[in-house]
Amino acid sequence: MDGLLPDLEIVRKDFPILERTVADGRPLVYLDSANTSQKPQCVVDAMVDHLEHHNANVARAMHTLGAEATEAFEHSRDVVAGFLHARSRDEVVFTKNASEALNLVANTLAWADAPLGVGAGDRVVITEMEHHSNIVPWQLLTQRKGAELRWFGLTDDGHLDLSRIDELITPNTKVVALTWVSNMLGTVNPVAEIARRAHEVGALVVVDASQAAPQLPIDVQAIDADFLAFTGHKTVGPTGIGVLWGRLELLEQLPPFLGGGEMIETVTMETSTYAHPPHKFEAGTPPIVEAVGLGAALTYLSEIGLDAIHAHEQAITRYLLDGLAGVEGVTVLGPAEVAERGGAVSFEVAGVHPHDVAQLLDSRGVAVRAGHHCAKPAHRRFGVQSSTRASSYLYTTPEEIEAFIEALQYTKSYFKV
Amino acid sequence: MDGLLPDLEIVRKDFPILERTVADGRPLVYLDSANTSQKPQCVVDAMVDHLEHHNANVARAMHTLGAEATEAFEHSRDVVAGFLHARSRDEVVFTKNASEALNLVANTLAWADAPLGVGAGDRVVITEMEHHSNIVPWQLLTQRKGAELRWFGLTDDGHLDLSRIDELITPNTKVVALTWVSNMLGTVNPVAEIARRAHEVGALVVVDASQAAPQLPIDVQAIDADFLAFTGHKTVGPTGIGVLWGRLELLEQLPPFLGGGEMIETVTMETSTYAHPPHKFEAGTPPIVEAVGLGAALTYLSEIGLDAIHAHEQAITRYLLDGLAGVEGVTVLGPAEVAERGGAVSFEVAGVHPHDVAQLLDSRGVAVRAGHHCAKPAHRRFGVQSSTRASSYLYTTPEEIEAFIEALQYTKSYFKV
Amino acid sequence: MTQQADLDAMYQEIILDHYKNPQHKGLREPYEAEVHHVNPTCGDEVTLRVHLSADGTVVEDVSYDAEGCSISQAAASVMTELVIGRSVADALKLHETFLELMQGKGTVEPDEDVLEDGVAFAGVAKFPARVKCALLSWMAWKDATARITSQGATPKETS
Amino acid sequence: MTQQADLDAMYQEIILDHYKNPQHKGLREPYEAEVHHVNPTCGDEVTLRVHLSADGTVVEDVSYDAEGCSISQAAASVMTELVIGRSVADALKLHETFLELMQGKGTVEPDEDVLEDGVAFAGVAKFPARVKCALLSWMAWKDATARITSQGATPKETS
Ligand SMILES: Cc1ncc(COP(=O)(O)O)c(C=O)c1O
Ligand SMILES: Cc1ncc(COP(=O)(O)O)c(C=O)c1O
């Protein structure tokens, strides 16, 4: 099969969990990577080494362990900056996940003074395919500040409906927040083009790269975003860490988010002054061992190469879509063309509820997600309440796709549809 | 020595990092546990086992790995609820650290409606010995909402000055936020007594238990707090996780903090409804492997016994205070009586700056903290800009205290004071 | 037991029958309370109406509109069969018994004389992620009933 | 090198001398800019004033009040010795040279003809946590100087 990672079997050996068996001894077929990815040994080892040999608090500790921990932590910031092609390492803020990163932007825009602050009469534009984590923060912001929330609708084939972009992105638009790759439909959005239009009216562009970071090369300068968020656990890193990248001059201007240790310059009982970005937005002890893990994870992905990973995802996704096309009663939601999509494929099976599909697949060792995938509005748009989603990653093999399709046929026979 | 953990040598073997050497082969003497604690093997192993065998996203995944991960994650919530003697597991919210937990309360009180919300004319009371993480959130809240910030001063021997409590805690006081144990002075505060006074005027009581949780048995019902925060990395758990405990009826009434996946009930593009606590406050993928580590950590501490750990801390701290008393030119900040304090001891050395003290101690393998320990106001209160802090924990031995005192003598001779 | 056997124990014929032919489905009048419950994780939803006797002691009718998996749909169907026509007190006791069965992780032996078709859900108890599905409509029923008895609500009819 | 040797290389006699007898310390007039810099981690602080010649090309005076460790105190003292009386352009070049030395992790060989007593800080470069200490007053000086040259500020005297 063209496009597969050349050393796929070696890559798989890097992921200890793939040797697990489930469901009466069947090998695990993990097709839930858009939900969370599995971790290579090098990430686990980096975390263990840190905990067993270098653990200390960072920035504030001047002893040997403190210096080692600080160096490891800040090294990961460099790795992230490189991964995103950021202008400066100071543009990289560590958060607990992508959701916090997006909320950080929405919250500081609630408290910011003009011209950044969002207030009555201002507009925030999102899209109907956003993950709840890129919807609810903007609902809270606009509701609390008396601003207006609008959104791009979707075309029947799962793309953003850009036909009314001029009505949507207006001079009073302060923020355009959108996902780069949809976690439900798989759609890859034209973020650079939308950023260009948003900047014409002076709006800030917030890109949710939670699904893009694992599978596409990212260059924040090339897409000309103002803020970009992603999450560690989907890029073969640990939970407990996410990243907000922001243009430095914006991070400088925004008010603080959480207050506390490490984000200050000086504190009196009456008032405080704040450190410069990124520390200004990192109150309290940061996710240290998680940053170490994330640094190892992004280094691992970069060594394999994001282009190679993307090609692999495309090949596997094409195979998956072809396989699904051969199963009667299956309807795929989202773009039919693999070139326009990422590696998450949501579908319906006529007559069997997604829960039951997932349950039956699980009994065959195949792990998929069933439900609304934190994208209720996108499901509603396509007239469904929930769906089943199979999502591959760099460790997914064609044989696993075959096992999945076979299990799907079995599911249909089990439920006699 | 009375009070030491009976199996101290065995306990030490649980902590792999204690076998490390630093500074030209000297054994590590880690006296920076109030900054962050070291991790026992069982915590590292629990995390590794999770990452290598059970890693999946929680709540939303219905496959085998998802069920295992969810069970492990929610089991840790039970462990925390037990550790705190909470009425219900639903009162336990996982955050990224103690700082986020405290900010969560301050932020939701900014957006809450009456009667919970804090607005113009309301008062928030804190203390002069707070960590910055329990000062800055309240400064931001009161500044943003036009409320008033007041604080308990400190007596010369490092206690809260309660003499003017009636002037401080007034009918317009909405929140009293204070630390249970000071991270700088070591002082143990009468939280139950202050909670009683605060409740007489209807104020909410927020307890920062970041330094209490590692070394005192905690019973949120006995002290009658409304909210209590602590942080995983100081209780032999990993970074990236903290806990906010809150009374269920309060958590029910507060508006959401961060918006996103998992904290919703239903989402439309226009508006959303929210899940019940604790999920309402846990937007996005939670710190899963971190919760697993924290569960193992608190189980470990509980098995040794918080009473035994407290006794150990008292014995070691007494020995440390005695040792310091024998070094000329050393002034200890905070209570002289060990019964009134926790295991963090800050001090000055006449003629040598804390930075230089820490540097010299480090060259002897002794890790202490130097600086303002995120408690600038408390330092200012005692007329110092910074101090050196030695803080022990359940793995600290009397011999380590001796090594520390010896290194301190060496420091003085090095700087010829 | 193998997981395959567990699976077959969950997807009993009775459950699949109720799934394909749900009883008492559709929203009816009169009713004194209507509630809408959601399983936030998967999105399963139920809108459910309860009609009690004038003195509030007997479950006269339970009607519902639900979207969800086989387990949640079958549970709604079986639940209505069990509670309609029963005294509120008995129905609440039935709910308790069903709850115990569901939370027993497969260790509770169900009594067919009491739970009737409800015994078919015994197998669900081994799948923690699915217990919520089986309980969704029961919770909705209990909630609606509590609203009526606490508020002394009078029957509603659309005008 | 052993860490002990590294330590001795950092705490040179010259540094300890400057620490105990800081040069040019105390706030003086006239000055065109005063800045206050803090090391957020440890709390070390410096208040620093710069007085340039009327045409803004020569560093006439630098005065300061500082609280901090031996390294930060000695650095302030050495810095003033180096820049006072020099052209702004030369002083900025010196700052660059010192910065390179500090960020070189111990690999940069300092030139005593250029840095004078500043060479004593070569040993600090091996202690990343202390580099900030050595740079605090230099950063403050650069900041204050930039404020004057960018704003064309005129001398201030307290009335
Ligand atoms: C008393 C106290 N409160 C709050 C904190 C903040 O904890 P964290 O940095 O984990 O948020 C700390 C520790 O740094 C502390 O000692
Ligand atoms: C597109 C998208 N945005 C945001 C998120 C939120 O990420 P996290 O749950 O790590 O905050 C996810 C994943 O859950 C996602 O797929």
Side-chain angles (χ1 to χ4, degrees):
Chain A
M1 190 180 301
D2 260 14
L4 291 188
L5 282 180
D7 294 328
L8 186 50
E9 278 314 310
I10 298 173
V11 167
R12 283 182 68 81
K13 288 235 159 49
D14 291 336
F15 292 80
I17 208 169
L18 299 180
E19 274 154 41
R20 245 203 81 161
T21 58
V22 288
D24 305 329
R26 289 189 169 79
L28 169 68
V29 176
Y30 187 75
L31 290 175
D32 197 19
S33 290
N35 200 352
T36 201
S37 61
Q38 295 303 342
K39 321 304 170 203
Q41 192 69 53
C42 63
V43 168
V44 179
D45 288 350
M47 293 173 73
V48 170
D49 179 56
H50 177 84
L51 290 172
E52 294 187 354
H53 301 111
H54 312 288
N55 175 65
N57 214 323
V58 294
R60 34 172 105 163
M62 9 204 103
H63 43 71
T64 307
L65 294 184
E68 291 171 2
T70 304
E71 191 169 323
F73 177 70
E74 293 297 340
H75 170 70
S76 289
R77 204 187 298 278
D78 290 326
V79 171
V80 174
F83 187 79
L84 299 179
H85 298 89
R87 276 172 215 89
S88 155
R89 67 189 311 278
D90 293 340
E91 298 185 324
V92 174
V93 177
F94 286 122
T95 61
K96 68 174 173 181
N97 52 26
S99 303
E100 189 196 9
L102 295 164
N103 279 275
L104 192 164
V105 180
N107 266 268
T108 50
L109 290 176
W111 298 116
D113 297 326
L116 281 184
V118 169
D122 291 335
R123 175 182 284 192
V124 172
V125 175
I126 59 176
T127 91
E128 210 174 352
M129 68 167 80
E130 296 310 308
H131 186 280
H132 295 163
S133 293
N134 204 26
I135 298 177
V136 183
W138 306 110
Q139 289 179 342
L140 290 171
L141 170 64
T142 51
Q143 285 162 8
R144 285 167 174 175
K145 304 296 288 187
E148 182 194 22
L149 184 68
R150 298 287 299 273
W151 50 89
F152 285 99
L154 307 181
T155 62
D156 288 341
D157 61 346
H159 287 99
L160 289 182
D161 176 5
L162 298 175
S163 64
R164 292 169 45 212
I165 188 166
D166 292 329
E167 287 162 55
L168 268 176
I169 301 186
T170 50
N172 66 334
T173 302
K174 297 293 274 284
V175 179
V176 177
L178 82 164
T179 193
W180 190 333
V181 178
S182 159
N183 71 311
M184 177 212 164
L185 301 165
T187 322
V188 179
N189 289 320
V191 283
E193 164 65 8
I194 292 172
R196 197 179 58 71
R197 299 292 289 268
H199 284 152
E200 279 171 15
V201 301
L204 295 175
V205 176
V206 182
V207 175
D208 176 0
S210 301
Q211 294 292 342
Q215 51 179 328
L216 296 178
I218 293 193
D219 184 331
V220 289
Q221 301 187 57
I223 60 167
D224 199 18
D226 296 300
F227 298 98
L228 181 139
F230 76 95
T231 198
H233 67 95
K234 294 192 207 271
T235 54
V236 309
T239 52
I241 190 160
V243 168
L244 174 69
W245 166 87
R247 271 175 42 220
L248 195 56
E249 56 275 31
L250 292 171
L251 294 178
E252 290 280 6
Q253 286 170 63
L254 285 175
F257 175 42
L258 307 182
E262 304 314 325
M263 56 73 76
I264 58 98
E265 184 181 71
T266 192
V267 175
T268 65
M269 289 308 288
E270 289 79 11
T271 192
S272 304
T273 56
Y274 308 112
H276 290 286
H279 304 293
K280 177 178 169 185
F281 298 105
E282 295 180 351
T285 301
I288 304 169
V289 69
E290 292 77 11
V292 169
L294 180 61
L298 299 184
T299 303
Y300 177 83
L301 293 183
S302 300
E303 275 165 9
I304 294 181
L306 267 294
D307 286 317
I309 293 170
H310 182 57
H312 181 79
E313 280 280 77
Q314 296 253 307
I316 290 288
T317 305
R318 184 176 301 113
Y319 196 53
L320 200 162
L321 288 169
D322 287 350
L324 285 175
V327 185
E328 230 190 272
V330 165
T331 319
V332 169
L333 301 157
E337 276 304 307
V338 86
E340 298 160 8
R341 54 148 58 245
V345 178
S346 300
F347 59 92
E348 289 184 279
V349 182
V352 192
H353 187 276
H355 257 189
D356 296 317
V357 174
Q359 190 82 58
L360 264 288
L361 293 182
D362 186 53
S363 79
R364 292 288 162 129
V366 181
V368 297
R369 184 167 175 188
H372 50 63
H373 322 320
C374 300
K376 280 198 135 191
H379 277 86
R380 191 165 303 116
R381 162 64 180 83
F382 290 98
V384 296
Q385 186 217 35
S386 59
S387 62
T388 307
R389 182 183 71 186
S391 55
S392 55
Y393 203 20
L394 75 162
Y395 37 68
T396 307
T397 65
E399 293 72 32
E400 289 185 306
I401 300 302
E402 288 156 17
F404 157 67
I405 296 292
E406 202 183 296
L408 201 57
Q409 297 282 18
Y410 165 75
T411 301
K412 285 184 57 192
S413 68
Y414 193 95
F415 286 107
K416 308 192 179 68
V417 295
Chain B
M1 189 179 302
D2 259 15
L4 291 188
L5 282 180
D7 294 328
L8 186 51
E9 277 315 310
I10 298 172
V11 167
R12 282 181 69 81
K13 290 236 157 49
D14 291 335
F15 293 81
I17 208 170
L18 299 181
E19 274 153 40
R20 242 202 84 159
T21 58
V22 289
D24 305 329
R26 288 190 170 77
L28 169 67
V29 176
Y30 187 75
L31 291 175
D32 197 19
S33 290
N35 200 352
T36 201
S37 62
Q38 295 304 342
K39 320 304 171 205
Q41 192 69 54
C42 62
V43 167
V44 180
D45 289 351
M47 293 173 72
V48 170
D49 179 56
H50 177 85
L51 291 172
E52 294 188 353
H53 301 111
H54 312 287
N55 174 66
N57 214 324
V58 294
R60 35 173 105 163
M62 5 207 107
H63 44 69
T64 307
L65 294 183
E68 291 171 2
T70 304
E71 191 169 324
F73 177 69
E74 292 298 340
H75 170 70
S76 289
R77 203 188 299 279
D78 290 325
V79 171
V80 174
F83 186 79
L84 299 178
H85 297 90
R87 275 173 214 89
S88 155
R89 69 190 308 281
D90 294 340
E91 298 184 324
V92 174
V93 176
F94 286 121
T95 62
K96 69 174 173 179
N97 52 26
S99 303
E100 189 197 8
L102 295 164
N103 278 275
L104 191 165
V105 180
N107 267 268
T108 50
L109 290 176
W111 297 117
D113 297 326
L116 281 183
V118 170
D122 290 335
R123 176 183 284 192
V124 172
V125 175
I126 59 176
T127 91
E128 210 174 351
M129 66 166 80
E130 296 311 308
H131 187 279
H132 294 161
S133 292
N134 204 26
I135 298 177
V136 183
W138 307 110
Q139 288 180 341
L140 290 170
L141 169 65
T142 51
Q143 285 163 8
R144 286 167 174 176
K145 303 296 288 187
E148 184 195 21
L149 185 67
R150 298 286 299 274
W151 51 88
F152 285 99
L154 307 181
T155 63
D156 288 342
D157 61 347
H159 287 99
L160 290 182
D161 177 3
L162 298 176
S163 64
R164 290 169 49 212
I165 188 167
D166 292 328
E167 287 162 55
L168 270 175
I169 301 186
T170 50
N172 66 333
T173 302
K174 296 294 274 285
V175 179
V176 177
L178 81 164
T179 193
W180 190 333
V181 178
S182 158
N183 71 311
M184 177 213 165
L185 302 165
T187 321
V188 178
N189 289 320
V191 283
E193 165 65 8
I194 292 172
R196 197 179 57 72
R197 300 292 290 266
H199 285 151
E200 280 171 14
V201 301
L204 295 175
V205 175
V206 183
V207 175
D208 177 0
S210 301
Q211 294 292 340
Q215 52 179 328
L216 295 179
I218 293 192
D219 184 331
V220 289
Q221 302 187 54
I223 61 167
D224 199 19
D226 295 300
F227 297 99
L228 180 140
F230 76 93
T231 197
H233 66 94
K234 295 193 207 271
T235 55
V236 309
T239 52
I241 189 160
V243 168
L244 174 69
W245 166 87
R247 273 178 38 222
L248 195 57
E249 56 277 30
L250 292 171
L251 294 178
E252 290 280 5
Q253 287 170 61
L254 286 175
F257 176 43
L258 307 181
E262 305 314 325
M263 56 73 75
I264 56 98
E265 185 182 69
T266 192
V267 174
T268 65
M269 289 308 288
E270 289 80 10
T271 192
S272 304
T273 55
Y274 308 113
H276 290 285
H279 305 293
K280 178 179 169 184
F281 299 106
E282 294 180 349
T285 302
I288 303 171
V289 68
E290 292 76 10
V292 169
L294 180 61
L298 299 185
T299 303
Y300 177 82
L301 293 183
S302 300
E303 276 166 7
I304 294 182
L306 266 294
D307 286 315
I309 292 169
H310 182 57
H312 181 80
E313 282 280 77
Q314 296 252 307
I316 290 288
T317 305
R318 184 175 303 115
Y319 196 54
L320 199 162
L321 288 169
D322 287 351
L324 285 175
V327 185
E328 230 191 270
V330 165
T331 319
V332 169
L333 301 156
E337 277 305 306
V338 87
E340 299 159 8
R341 53 148 58 244
V345 178
S346 300
F347 59 93
E348 290 184 279
V349 181
V352 192
H353 187 276
H355 257 189
D356 297 316
V357 174
Q359 191 81 59
L360 264 288
L361 293 182
D362 186 54
S363 80
R364 291 289 162 128
V366 181
V368 296
R369 183 165 175 191
H372 50 62
H373 322 321
C374 300
K376 281 198 136 192
H379 277 87
R380 191 166 304 115
R381 163 62 180 84
F382 291 98
V384 297
Q385 187 215 34
S386 59
S387 62
T388 308
R389 182 184 69 186
S391 55
S392 55
Y393 203 19
L394 75 164
Y395 36 66
T396 307
T397 65
E399 293 72 34
E400 288 185 306
I401 301 301
E402 287 156 18
F404 157 66
I405 297 292
E406 201 183 296
L408 200 58
Q409 297 282 16
Y410 165 74
T411 301
K412 287 183 56 190
S413 69
Y414 193 96
F415 286 106
K416 307 192 180 71
V417 297
Chain C
M1 263 213 292
T2 64
Q3 289 196 24
Q4 183 63 46
D6 283 345
L7 191 78
D8 295 339
M10 171 158 74
Y11 289 119
Q12 304 240 337
E13 217 41 57
I14 302 184
I15 290 189
L16 297 180
D17 281 351
H18 275 278
Y19 177 40
K20 303 227 153 145
N21 301 299
Q23 304 301 302
H24 303 287
K25 193 166 175 163
L27 293 170
R28 284 183 300 279
E29 298 179 355
Y31 64 98
E32 292 82 41
E34 176 181 300
V35 298
H36 181 76
H37 277 218
V38 178
N39 180 337
T41 325
C42 60
D44 282 5
E45 299 181 45
V46 62
T47 304
L48 184 140
R49 295 175 175 179
V50 172
H51 169 43
L52 300 186
S53 60
D55 64 355
T57 59
V58 178
V59 185
E60 298 279 0
D61 193 21
V62 179
S63 65
Y64 64 96
D65 197 15
E67 208 174 330
C69 64
S70 58
I71 304 297
S72 76
Q73 299 295 90
S77 173
V78 169
M79 184 270 293
T80 52
E81 280 198 334
L82 280 170
V83 301
I84 292 174
R86 233 179 251 265
S87 77
V88 171
D90 281 1
L92 283 171
K93 245 184 251 154
L94 261 181
H95 171 244
E96 277 305 312
T97 311
F98 190 73
L99 201 63
E100 269 166 35
L101 176 63
M102 286 298 98
Q103 294 174 341
K105 298 194 173 169
T107 62
V108 177
E109 197 57 57
D111 181 346
E112 186 157 4
D113 289 343
V114 178
L115 284 177
E116 301 173 21
D117 276 6
V119 298
F121 290 86
V124 176
K126 284 213 182 153
F127 293 85
R130 305 305 293 277
V131 168
K132 281 183 285 192
C133 312
L135 291 177
L136 183 65
S137 55
W138 281 93
M139 295 296 188
W141 171 77
K142 197 185 168 194
D143 182 15
T145 305
R147 288 190 198 197
I148 306 173
T149 49
S150 72
Q151 296 168 17
T154 44
K156 283 177 202 161
E157 306 227 14
T158 354
S159 52
Chain D
M1 263 212 289
T2 64
Q3 289 196 24
Q4 183 64 47
D6 282 345
L7 191 78
D8 295 338
M10 172 159 72
Y11 289 118
Q12 304 240 339
E13 220 37 59
I14 302 184
I15 290 190
L16 297 181
D17 282 351
H18 274 278
Y19 176 40
K20 305 227 154 149
N21 302 299
Q23 305 300 301
H24 302 288
K25 193 167 176 165
L27 293 170
R28 285 182 299 278
E29 299 179 354
Y31 64 97
E32 293 81 40
E34 176 182 299
V35 296
H36 181 75
H37 277 218
V38 178
N39 179 336
T41 325
C42 60
D44 281 6
E45 300 181 44
V46 62
T47 304
L48 184 140
R49 295 175 174 179
V50 172
H51 169 44
L52 301 186
S53 60
D55 64 355
T57 58
V58 178
V59 185
E60 298 280 358
D61 193 19
V62 179
S63 66
Y64 65 95
D65 197 14
E67 208 175 329
C69 66
S70 58
I71 305 298
S72 76
Q73 300 295 90
S77 173
V78 170
M79 183 270 292
T80 52
E81 279 198 333
L82 280 169
V83 301
I84 293 173
R86 233 180 251 266
S87 76
V88 170
D90 281 2
L92 283 171
K93 245 184 250 154
L94 260 182
H95 171 244
E96 277 305 312
T97 312
F98 189 72
L99 201 63
E100 269 166 35
L101 176 62
M102 285 298 98
Q103 294 175 340
K105 297 192 173 171
T107 62
V108 177
E109 197 56 58
D111 181 346
E112 186 156 3
D113 290 345
V114 177
L115 284 177
E116 302 174 21
D117 277 5
V119 299
F121 291 85
V124 176
K126 283 215 182 152
F127 293 84
R130 307 304 294 276
V131 167
K132 281 182 285 190
C133 312
L135 292 176
L136 182 66
S137 56
W138 280 94
M139 294 297 187
W141 170 78
K142 196 185 168 195
D143 181 17
T145 305
R147 290 188 196 196
I148 305 172
T149 48
S150 72
Q151 294 167 15
T154 44
K156 282 177 205 161
E157 306 229 10
T158 354
S159 51

